[in-house]
């Protein structure tokens, strides 16, 4: 099971308790007659929080069962796997008996092959679609981007900005956008963060509340990082998070809409307008009684379902050996930590990633790495000594830096976050009608950026209705932009996917792939039939997944847009496509597909 040892803790933490119960364990108070205030809990827990924050890459010589922990930093990586680091040769030798099984894991071997090849059968994903595991999308599947990108657009920071994310998903684009502003930025920023999924809305409110709390910015970043992405957290994190949210959850919400304001630092504000069901969900999350053992069993049920092995092995096949082990380690424990970090204190299930009865909310194919630009993640980790082999260690340090910077900025920036849970199509008329006027949004509001995510896909709202709904709310500024991305178009448009493209197009893509060393052939491909590929490459499904990233399908995409009403919708709403992509590239590459991004602006500007 790896050196983390599962969800192991020498001293059993308080489990199966709501906020009041955990607080009673810590304070010995009579709950609810004399509950500690959230401020008291945060104040007392500060020292405990610091113990969980990694200021440097740790020495991997730790054994939770024996109570042995080296407190030095890791400076020299294991020469074989590069996943763990040690402070000295002595620590490395002492730890080898534990690390040996990981370092020599079969998954790291040079001759590793996917299970369907080993068993001599077709992979399961070439048959009927496998059912999804969880139906909530709590993490983004497109790398985060700065939605303002002022340097390439307005080119002036001396103005107010208004941003709307009607189907926001998580906060990654908000984080990156705020962090890209100058540290002395002093104008007003208005950000509407809306999503119809109550689990997403609760997470966004919780994360903003943590990052805007009275916690030290480094502690706030660490609590937010694990609340966002780790399956289990230290008990102090759950306690402090519940305390921060206690003002929302102590009383049962009245039927209807719930409106409230929360200060985030001295200048930033979170204005919330959510349903009573969303508030009830938040309250029940922190009163759930499933234990860390329940969470461990649920993770194993989801991530190690034998019927889905082929899906995971398809991902492994595109990875370097040590990256395969890092990915496997995340599947085992669900923790965003350096590979060599001890996890013995991560002893409470993260209530934000499980349902009220302890079920994992997402699909088993998602990881936090999909939400961020991987070169930036690796560079961020390297600054703190993490090896590029340790992907989740790099992600830990990168996210901690990003979240700490965000926490510092919202304490001094003049930002208003408007959080709501309406259907994306219903939100626009409410904004225009003055529904939010009492919360500071006049009916005349117009936005510098509207990011509609992938609700332009026909499976959701579609191009015409999205443009009809949100086009009128785009400002007339020359830089005002509506950003959309198309996630599912290639399965509907002939020529979109590589397996139905013209032979000459496939041949050109294969040659580029070979030139980059991504096609395991001794000589360059001379023909592009799939029979040739199948005969030459035994792990065909893996390399088809890579081949699509080399596939030029712009003409097919334009055909798709035209056939789904793009041109008429642009004319109707006085919009035009931008000829220069000044916010995101038009093509965002995911592991097995392309997300085509479209930028639209007001016509005549």
């Amino acid at each position: 099971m790896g050196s983390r040892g599962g969800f192991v803790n020498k001293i059993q933490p308080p489990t199966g308790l709501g906020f009041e119960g955990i607080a009673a364990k810590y304070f010995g108070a009579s709950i609810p007659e004399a509950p500690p205030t959230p401020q008291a809990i945060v104040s007392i827990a500060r020292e405990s929080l610091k113990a969980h924050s990694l200021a440097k890459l740790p020495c991997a010589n730790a054994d939770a069962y024996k109570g042995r922990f080296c407190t030095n930093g890791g400076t020299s990586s294991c020469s074989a796997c590069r996943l763990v680091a040690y402070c000295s040769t002595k620590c490395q030798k002492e730890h080898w008996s534990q690390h040996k099984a990981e370092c020599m894991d079969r998954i790291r071997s040079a001759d590793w092959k996917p299970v369907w090849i080993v068993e001599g059968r077709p992979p399961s994903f070439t048959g009927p679609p496998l059912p999804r595991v969880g139906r909530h999308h709590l993490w983004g599947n497109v790398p985060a981007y700065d939605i303002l990108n002022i340097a390439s657009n307005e080119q002036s920071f001396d103005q107010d900005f208004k941003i709307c994310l009607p189907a926001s998903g998580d906060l990654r684009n908000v984080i990156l956008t705020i962090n890209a502003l100058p540290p002395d930025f002093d104008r007003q920023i208005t950000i509407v963060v809306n999503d119809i999924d109550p689990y997403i809305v609760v997470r966004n409110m919780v994360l903003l509340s943590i990052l805007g709390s009275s916690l030290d910015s480094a502690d706030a970043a660490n609590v937010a990082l694990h609340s966002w992405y780790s399956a289990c957290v230290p008990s102090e994190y759950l306690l402090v998070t519940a305390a921060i949210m206690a003002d929302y959850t102590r009383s049962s919400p009245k039927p209807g809409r719930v409106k409230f304001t929360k200060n985030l630092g001295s200048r930033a504000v979170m204005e919330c307008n959510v349903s009573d069901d969303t508030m009830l969900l938040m309250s029940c999350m922190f009163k759930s009684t499933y234990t860390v053992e329940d969470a461990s069993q649920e993770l194993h049920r989801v991530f190690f379902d034998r019927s889905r092995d082929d899906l995971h092995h398809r991902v492994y096949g595109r990875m370097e050996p040590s990256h395969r082990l890092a990915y496997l380690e995340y599947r085992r424990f669900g923790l965003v930590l350096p590979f060599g970090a001890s996890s013995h204190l991560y002893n409470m299930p993260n209530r934000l990633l499980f349902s009220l009865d302890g079920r994992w909310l997402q699909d088993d194919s998602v990881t936090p790495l999909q939400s961020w630009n991987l070169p930036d993640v690796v560079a961020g980790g390297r600054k703190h000594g993490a090896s590029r082999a340790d992907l989740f260690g790099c992600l830990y340090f990168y996210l901690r830096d990003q979240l700490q910077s965000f926490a510092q900025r919202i304490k001094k920036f003049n930002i208003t976050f408007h959080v709501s849970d309406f259907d994306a199509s219903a939100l626009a008329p409410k904004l225009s009608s003055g529904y939010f006027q009492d919360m500071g949004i006049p009916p005349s509001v117009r936005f510098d950026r509207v990011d509609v995510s992938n609700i332009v896909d026909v499976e959701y709202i579609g191009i015409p209705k999205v443009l009809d709904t949100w086009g009128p709310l785009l400002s007339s500024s020359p830089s005002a932009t509506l950003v959309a991305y198309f996630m599912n178009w290639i399965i509907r448009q002939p020529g979109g996917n590589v397996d139905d493209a013209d032979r000459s197009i496939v041949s050109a893509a294969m040659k580029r792939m070979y030139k980059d060393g991504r096609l395991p052939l001794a000589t360059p491909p001379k023909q592009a039939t799939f029979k040739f590929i199948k005969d030459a490459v035994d792990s065909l499904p893996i390399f088809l997944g890579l081949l699509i990233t080399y596939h030029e399908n712009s003409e097919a995409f334009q055909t798709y847009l035209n056939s789904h009403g793009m041109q008429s919708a642009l004319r109707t709403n006085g919009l035009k496509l931008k000829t220069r992509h000044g916010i995101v590239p038009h093509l965002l590459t995911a592991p097995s597909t392309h997300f085509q991004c479209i930028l639209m602006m007001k016509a005549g500007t």
Side-chain angles (χ1 to χ4, degrees):
M1 287 293 288
S3 65
R4 297 195 195 280
F7 298 106
V8 173
N9 183 38
K10 293 196 68 177
I11 302 174
Q12 183 64 31
T15 57
L17 300 169
F19 164 63
E20 288 84 359
I22 297 174
K25 286 284 186 181
Y26 273 80
F27 287 85
S30 175
I31 305 296
E33 289 80 3
T37 65
Q39 293 77 13
I41 292 177
V42 170
S43 176
I44 292 177
R46 286 184 195 277
E47 291 307 312
S48 297
L49 294 181
K50 292 188 182 301
H52 301 303
S53 181
L54 299 176
K56 56 190 175 184
L57 186 69
C59 175
N61 186 18
D63 188 332
Y65 293 99
K66 296 179 180 179
R68 186 187 73 236
F69 303 97
C70 178
T71 58
N72 296 325
T75 55
S76 299
S77 296
C78 170
S79 60
C81 68
R82 301 289 180 184
L83 284 167
V84 297
Y86 300 96
C87 66
S88 64
T89 303
K90 177 179 179 293
C91 272
Q92 184 172 13
K93 289 179 178 179
E94 196 172 65
H95 190 248
W96 175 243
S97 60
Q98 291 174 258
H99 178 57
K100 180 179 179 180
E102 297 171 326
C103 194
M104 302 180 70
D105 194 300
R106 175 68 181 167
I107 203 168
R108 284 197 62 252
S109 66
D111 61 349
W112 177 90
K113 295 184 185 301
V115 63
W116 70 82
I117 294 175
V118 174
E119 296 177 357
R121 57 172 174 77
S124 60
F125 50 78
T126 59
L130 295 171
R132 296 186 66 86
V133 175
R135 300 192 176 275
H136 296 271
H137 305 280
L138 307 181
W139 303 333
N141 56 2
V142 173
Y145 49 84
D146 171 8
I147 193 173
L148 285 176
N149 201 350
I150 295 171
S152 296
N153 292 278
E154 286 86 356
Q155 298 182 354
S156 171
F157 295 96
D158 190 23
Q159 61 187 92
D160 298 341
F161 290 97
K162 294 181 177 63
I163 302 169
C164 184
L165 299 96
S168 65
D170 64 15
L171 293 171
R172 69 194 189 286
N173 292 339
V174 173
I175 302 287
L176 221 57
T177 300
I178 297 302
N179 286 349
L181 293 171
D184 59 349
F185 183 81
D186 198 39
R187 299 301 295 263
Q188 170 69 40
I189 310 172
T190 301
I191 306 178
V192 175
V193 183
N194 178 81
D195 204 284
I196 196 172
D197 186 336
Y199 280 97
I200 290 175
V201 177
V202 167
R203 287 168 58 81
N204 289 343
M205 286 194 292
V206 170
L207 292 174
L208 285 173
S209 297
I210 293 170
L211 293 166
S213 70
S214 61
L215 289 172
D216 174 82
S217 60
D219 294 335
N222 227 47
V223 175
L225 187 163
H226 292 295
S227 298
W228 195 344
Y229 287 126
S230 289
C232 285
V233 299
S235 52
E236 292 90 347
Y237 284 18
L238 181 62
L239 176 65
V240 168
T241 300
I244 289 171
M245 307 310 294
D247 291 340
Y248 309 154
T249 60
R250 283 191 185 278
S251 59
S252 299
K254 298 177 181 179
R257 304 296 299 178
V258 179
K259 300 179 182 181
F260 59 89
T261 299
K262 183 175 181 65
N263 292 326
L264 306 174
S266 61
R267 301 182 70 189
V269 174
M270 179 171 66
E271 298 274 4
C272 296
N273 184 322
V274 296
S275 70
D276 55 343
D277 287 339
T278 295
M279 295 306 298
L280 183 60
L281 173 64
M282 179 188 289
S283 178
C284 291
M285 274 183 175
F286 291 106
K287 295 178 180 177
S288 297
T289 58
Y290 56 89
T291 67
V292 71
E293 290 81 10
D294 298 330
S296 179
Q297 292 173 10
E298 173 65 2
L299 279 186
H300 191 274
R301 180 190 73 82
V302 170
F303 286 101
F304 291 93
D305 181 342
R306 292 298 304 273
S307 69
R308 303 179 73 82
D309 280 352
D310 292 1
L311 294 172
H312 294 294
H313 281 225
R314 178 170 59 175
V315 176
Y316 290 157
R318 296 191 286 266
M319 293 180 171
E320 300 172 11
S322 287
H323 288 171
R324 291 197 293 264
L325 182 56
Y327 181 84
L328 174 61
E329 187 85 346
Y330 184 78
R331 287 175 60 204
R332 285 170 173 163
F333 306 111
L335 299 176
V336 176
L337 281 173
F339 195 93
S342 176
S343 62
H344 70 293
L345 294 176
Y346 287 71
N347 48 32
M348 293 291 287
N350 180 0
R351 308 294 184 193
L352 297 175
L353 287 176
F354 295 89
S355 68
L356 299 181
D357 58 354
R359 292 289 180 175
W360 185 251
L361 291 170
Q362 303 191 88
D363 194 75
D364 60 338
S365 64
V366 301
T367 79
L369 288 169
Q370 296 166 341
S371 297
W372 304 92
N373 181 41
L374 198 53
D376 291 343
V377 168
V378 171
R382 295 293 293 271
K383 287 197 308 183
H384 295 276
S387 164
R388 65 178 296 278
D390 186 8
L391 288 177
F392 289 92
C394 288
L395 183 64
Y396 170 83
F397 287 112
Y398 173 79
L399 287 176
R400 193 195 61 183
D401 288 350
Q402 290 289 338
L403 292 171
Q404 183 170 355
S405 176
F406 183 80
Q408 292 167 346
R409 286 161 184 258
I410 63 172
K411 286 179 171 62
K412 61 182 182 179
F413 281 14
N414 190 0
I415 310 176
T416 301
F417 299 95
H418 293 272
V419 179
S420 55
D421 58 0
F422 293 102
D423 179 272
S425 295
L427 178 65
K430 288 187 178 296
L431 288 166
S432 299
S433 69
Y435 177 84
F436 291 96
Q437 187 153 357
D438 62 338
M439 303 183 78
I441 303 181
S444 59
V445 65
R446 296 295 181 267
F447 294 97
D448 300 288
R449 305 287 189 274
V450 176
D451 188 340
V452 298
S453 186
N454 70 311
I455 61 175
V456 287
D457 280 337
V458 296
E459 293 85 355
Y460 298 100
I461 297 177
I463 297 171
K465 188 172 182 181
V466 169
L467 267 59
D468 290 348
T469 302
W470 289 101
L473 286 176
L474 196 63
S475 106
S476 58
S477 163
S479 298
T481 306
L482 188 151
V483 184
Y485 77 89
F486 294 79
M487 186 171 72
N488 300 314
W489 77 275
I490 62 170
I491 64 175
R492 295 181 172 275
Q493 180 61 44
N497 213 339
V498 69
D499 56 5
D500 59 8
D502 180 83
R503 178 179 296 185
S504 63
I505 295 175
V506 175
S507 179
M510 284 184 61
K511 289 176 180 177
R512 291 195 300 273
M513 189 174 172
Y514 175 82
K515 183 179 179 181
D516 290 346
R518 307 304 297 274
L519 195 63
L521 300 176
T523 58
K526 296 180 180 179
Q527 52 183 319
T529 65
F530 281 99
K531 182 179 185 304
F532 166 77
I533 304 174
K534 187 177 188 306
D535 292 343
V537 184
D538 58 2
S539 50
L540 169 68
I542 291 172
F543 292 97
L544 285 183
L546 287 172
L547 184 59
I548 193 173
T549 64
Y550 287 79
H551 175 39
E552 172 53 57
N553 52 13
S554 296
E555 289 188 13
F557 182 53
Q558 191 59 53
T559 301
Y560 173 87
L561 294 179
N562 293 339
S563 64
H564 285 82
M566 173 63 84
Q567 295 304 321
S568 61
L570 289 173
R571 288 193 298 270
T572 300
N573 292 284
L575 298 171
K576 66 179 181 180
L577 296 180
K578 297 183 77 169
T579 57
R580 183 179 64 86
H581 286 262
I583 295 176
V584 291
H586 80 288
L587 199 65
L588 294 178
T589 302
S592 60
T593 188
H594 278 177
F595 297 135
Q596 295 281 359
C597 288
I598 287 289
L599 306 181
M600 285 161 271
M601 62 189 295
K602 289 287 188 183
T605 59

